[in-house]
Amino acid sequence: MAHEETVYDALDHAHGGEGQWAFGTGFDDPLAGVDTTIPDGVDAADLGAYCLMLGDDALVLCQRLTEWATRAPELEEEVAIANCGLDLLGQARLLLARAGTCCVLGRSREHATDSIPDEDALAYFRDVDEFANHHLAEADGGDFAQTMVRLLVASTHRLALVAKLRESRDPVVSAIAAKGVPELTYHRDHAARWVLRLGDGTPESHRRAQVAVDAVWPLTADLFTATDVELRLVAQGVAVDPADTRDEVRDVLTMVVERATLTVPAWPADRPSPGRAGEHTDELAPLLATLQGLAREHPAATW
Amino acid sequence: MSAPTVARPTEDELQAQFDATIAADHRIEPRDWMPEAYRKGLVRQIAQHAHSEIIGMQPEGDWLLAAPSLRRKAVLLAKVQDEAGHGMYLYSAAETLGADRADLTDKLIEGRQKYSSIFNYPTLTYADCGVIGWLVDGAAICNQVPLCRSSYGPYARAMIRVCKEESFHQRQGYELLMTMMRGTAEQRAMVQDAVDRWWWPSLMMFGPPDDDSPNSAQSMAWGVKRHSNDELRQRYVDMSVPQAEALGVTLPDPELALDEATGRYRFGAIDWAEFKQVISGNGPCNEERITRRRAARDDNAWVTEAATAYADKHAS
Ligand SMILES: [Fe+2]
Ligand SMILES: [Fe+2]
């Protein structure tokens, strides 16, 4: 009986008990209470552009993972994929909000009304050529093997980056990175377990896992060449040179793929990332159309 | 090897013990003896509940990719994830009675077990996500809070955890509607339209009226169910009317009125013919819901097989 009353009680006070809300679902600005002063000697436009790169990778990959919701192989996997999606969404929100504090809002503010927070102006009101994510994040999800191989590659790369970004001179980036390390460690571990099971499972799963590895590998070409923005920020102690993650990423991926009894394809030659420059494959526009459609239909609405 | 000679209790003694446990309002646990009909009835009820959690991910899941703000996307993803968790606890509770999750899922897909008919309606606008939280999770709470005292221990414990999360869902849904009602005229119209479409189906969530509810009497006697369908429905109406007023929406029932004498709300007649149509498979989305669930099982069967093969190879 006591419990019955407690539950009804909770309903009556519809707006109390903030502490019980799930992470990221409260009302606060994601950076509330954080000192967002730009550190001395750091170019705000560069810092904002850098946050968009990392934020867009997370947002776009979250969208790809979320495509699995209600379609995953097991209920446990529904929960796991939602966990990864929520973590990436949380990282994206913080990074886009940080870009907003750097006044890097691009054309988004021409469309979004003032009632829309920066993170949403950036997520919903930028066009495809303003997105800075790598092609790795936007590539079509494919089957479960492809989803897990891509998650393995993306989380291995992102973990290597954010582990170093904990030392960033920008306290906001450093805090976001510190929060991201355990999250991405879990994503990498989860994906690696699946790649092992699929690679070393049945002949069919082995075949599909190899197809997935072969399809995802070429996308690693874009991951290790710094943009000019990154090089300037590396000099200022804010960013990490992605080239410095190359060995670690390749070692981890090689180890997992070999243990999964799969063949490690040849590594593609590095190239500057077209995605970072706003050049995308045809797969991004439909993804963004779905993401942004409703928000754009109601530019004066608050949600 | 000689077994100690302990007199095994007779069927009658076991039944008497079970009856005494129920009478004392104590819990039946998985290892306790229970009548076969009690076990079967519980498996049926818990499985139906588990299926409802899982199928219930779909209507709102359809908006996950299109949620209109990043915060709303986080709220919705966390909610849909919670529902998967609810399904998992409930299937586990059914497994303590000897059922098997994969087998129950097959029965759902083959149409041999049911799920709540409410999830056979489509989500046409984003306001539907708010209204589902407010009304559908709200109705689920009214149904489920009494189940926290179900006579079957694992079910009761699962319900305590589930109800806590459902109450967050209800608030989050209501809070979305509040925000939309403060927004543009179009947003307010969306909310009213969604309320118009979901109100009557939500009343049907409590099941057929008491005089037409075949399994209810036995479930009440066994302490599996605690209140009649009509009693719970009345509670839900009484709780929802003031919430609708606070929100500024009209519930689509001209007969809805406070009965001063009882302090309860009278409401119009429910269209049970529609309920029967939907529950028997002819609702707007029945086929779509089951097709998607079947595809999740069949298209990914190779993944499950791989996991089993891998576990067998690496069992040490
Ligand atoms: Fe639930
Ligand atoms: Fe719920």
Side-chain angles (χ1 to χ4, degrees):
Chain A
M1 210 53 196
H3 179 74
E4 188 163 346
E5 276 142 20
T6 319
V7 173
Y8 281 116
D9 256 13
L11 297 180
D12 290 340
H13 306 296
H15 297 285
E18 288 299 308
Q20 294 169 304
W21 292 75
F23 172 77
T25 59
F27 299 96
D28 287 343
D29 176 315
L31 295 180
V34 177
D35 178 5
T36 54
T37 315
I38 313 282
D40 278 350
V42 174
D43 183 81
D46 281 350
L47 177 58
Y50 187 56
C51 289
L52 286 184
M53 294 174 193
L54 300 179
D56 288 347
D57 280 339
L59 177 61
V60 171
L61 185 55
C62 166
Q63 194 77 352
R64 283 289 180 226
L65 285 175
T66 307
E67 290 171 350
W68 280 93
T70 75
R71 298 166 202 277
E74 298 286 347
L75 298 180
E76 285 76 3
E77 204 48 32
E78 291 284 352
V79 173
I81 286 178
N83 272 333
C84 297
L86 281 165
D87 289 343
L88 289 170
L89 184 55
Q91 293 176 22
R93 293 181 63 191
L94 292 164
L95 286 160
L96 297 188
R98 181 52 166 155
T101 62
C102 299
C103 298
V104 177
L105 287 157
R107 303 195 295 270
S108 66
R109 275 293 171 209
E110 293 167 24
H111 309 290
T113 58
D114 289 346
S115 63
I116 293 174
D118 289 345
E119 58 174 270
D120 290 332
L122 287 166
Y124 291 93
F125 293 89
R126 272 181 304 155
D127 294 329
V128 101
D129 62 346
E130 294 173 282
F131 272 76
N133 58 280
H134 288 307
H135 291 180
L136 177 67
E138 74 200 42
D140 198 45
D143 66 4
F144 190 72
Q146 200 143 329
T147 293
M148 284 301 144
V149 169
R150 186 247 303 270
L151 182 61
L152 175 69
V153 172
S155 56
T156 301
H157 177 243
R158 194 169 176 86
L159 177 58
L161 272 180
V162 301
K164 295 181 198 289
L165 281 173
R166 287 179 295 186
E167 313 300 325
S168 171
R169 268 187 66 226
D170 178 41
V172 182
V173 167
S174 152
I176 296 169
K179 177 177 170 297
V181 167
E183 295 174 349
L184 293 159
T185 304
Y186 162 75
H187 304 183
R188 187 180 74 170
D189 186 56
H190 182 74
R193 283 167 195 265
W194 269 118
V195 172
L196 292 183
R197 286 186 204 113
L198 298 180
D200 194 14
T202 63
E204 172 65 0
S205 69
H206 180 88
R207 183 189 68 76
R208 286 177 183 256
Q210 187 66 56
V211 169
V213 167
D214 293 345
V216 172
W217 241 240
L219 299 170
T220 63
D222 302 356
L223 303 182
F224 306 117
T225 308
T227 58
D228 293 344
V229 166
E230 285 167 299
L231 289 175
R232 288 195 293 273
L233 289 171
V234 168
Q236 293 159 10
V238 170
V240 169
D241 186 341
D244 293 343
T245 67
R246 189 196 292 108
D247 290 348
E248 181 190 331
V249 170
R250 288 185 176 179
D251 286 352
V252 170
L253 294 178
T254 301
M255 190 184 75
V256 175
V257 170
E258 281 177 351
R259 267 191 59 197
T261 72
L262 297 162
T263 306
V264 182
W267 293 103
D270 288 343
R271 63 169 188 174
S273 168
R276 290 286 190 248
E279 293 159 24
H280 293 282
T281 63
D282 292 342
E283 286 157 335
L284 185 59
L287 178 147
L288 292 181
T290 307
L291 172 80
Q292 299 175 330
L294 177 60
R296 287 183 175 213
E297 247 177 75
H298 302 276
T302 28
W303 303 95
Chain B
M1 203 170 81
S2 66
T5 49
V6 177
R8 287 186 58 185
T10 65
E11 186 93 347
D12 285 351
E13 285 166 339
L14 290 166
Q15 179 74 50
Q17 225 170 55
F18 173 85
D19 292 343
T21 306
I22 299 285
D25 213 5
H26 290 155
R27 299 263 198 268
I28 304 294
E29 293 299 335
R31 286 191 203 172
D32 296 341
W33 182 90
M34 60 190 87
E36 198 44 36
Y38 175 87
R39 180 191 302 274
K40 272 196 172 150
L42 264 172
V43 168
R44 186 183 58 83
Q45 183 181 341
I46 298 173
Q48 188 168 319
H49 190 167
H51 299 330
S52 302
E53 299 286 355
I54 299 307
I55 297 292
M57 295 164 68
Q58 292 185 27
E60 287 177 279
D62 287 346
W63 285 98
L64 274 172
L65 296 172
S69 77
L70 296 183
R71 175 176 169 260
R72 290 293 169 199
K73 189 188 286 287
V75 168
L76 193 59
L77 187 49
K79 175 182 175 175
V80 171
Q81 180 187 45
D82 284 349
E83 304 303 359
H86 297 172
M88 283 165 56
Y89 317 144
L90 286 162
Y91 285 123
S92 304
E95 289 186 328
T96 65
L97 292 160
D100 168 70
R101 192 208 287 184
D103 173 58
L104 296 176
T105 302
D106 292 345
K107 288 188 169 117
L108 165 71
I109 290 169
E110 290 154 18
R112 290 190 284 142
Q113 285 181 342
K114 298 201 182 304
Y115 56 90
S116 178
S117 63
I118 192 84
F119 300 119
N120 290 316
Y121 293 89
T123 42
L124 302 182
T125 74
Y126 205 74
D128 290 42
C129 294
V131 170
I132 288 177
W134 173 39
L135 296 179
V136 176
D137 284 274
I141 294 163
C142 290
N143 266 329
Q144 291 168 16
V145 165
L147 297 177
C148 298
R149 295 184 300 125
S150 163
S151 61
Y152 188 58
Y155 192 29
R157 288 187 289 272
M159 278 302 98
I160 289 173
R161 197 163 159 186
V162 167
C163 281
K164 283 184 186 160
E165 293 181 353
E166 302 299 12
S167 79
F168 299 149
H169 301 165
Q170 201 207 16
R171 289 199 238 189
Q172 287 168 332
Y174 194 72
E175 186 267 322
L176 168 62
L177 298 177
M178 279 287 193
T179 306
M180 290 183 72
M181 290 302 283
R182 285 193 300 263
T184 63
E186 274 171 304
Q187 287 184 294
R188 280 190 290 280
M190 267 188 233
V191 174
Q192 182 62 58
D193 166 65
V195 169
D196 290 346
R197 286 181 287 108
W198 289 93
W199 172 247
W200 288 107
S202 77
L203 291 182
M204 297 177 196
M205 285 176 71
F206 298 90
D210 294 349
D211 49 24
D212 186 26
S213 181
N215 299 312
S216 282
Q218 183 61 73
S219 293
M220 300 267 284
W222 275 333
V224 172
K225 237 178 119 110
R226 294 285 179 174
H227 305 278
S228 79
N229 294 352
D230 286 332
E231 168 56 22
L232 290 169
R233 185 163 20 241
Q234 184 65 53
R235 277 195 193 191
Y236 168 73
V237 172
D238 293 341
M239 185 174 98
S240 301
V241 173
Q243 291 172 347
E245 281 167 10
L247 195 57
V249 294
T250 309
L251 296 172
D253 178 0
E255 291 174 51
L256 196 63
L258 184 64
D259 182 333
E260 300 287 352
T262 60
R264 314 199 86 175
Y265 286 89
R266 285 190 304 259
F267 51 95
I270 294 170
D271 181 357
W272 291 111
E274 176 184 325
F275 178 75
K276 283 186 180 131
Q277 277 298 308
V278 176
I279 202 96
S280 58
N282 301 317
C285 301
N286 297 58
E287 201 182 318
E288 186 187 328
R289 302 292 181 235
I290 291 298
T291 301
R292 192 188 305 181
R293 190 76 195 102
R294 182 186 294 116
R297 180 192 65 179
D298 295 352
D299 297 355
N300 296 308
W302 66 274
V303 175
T304 314
E305 284 157 19
T308 308
Y310 181 86
D312 290 347
K313 278 188 218 176
H314 294 267
S316 51

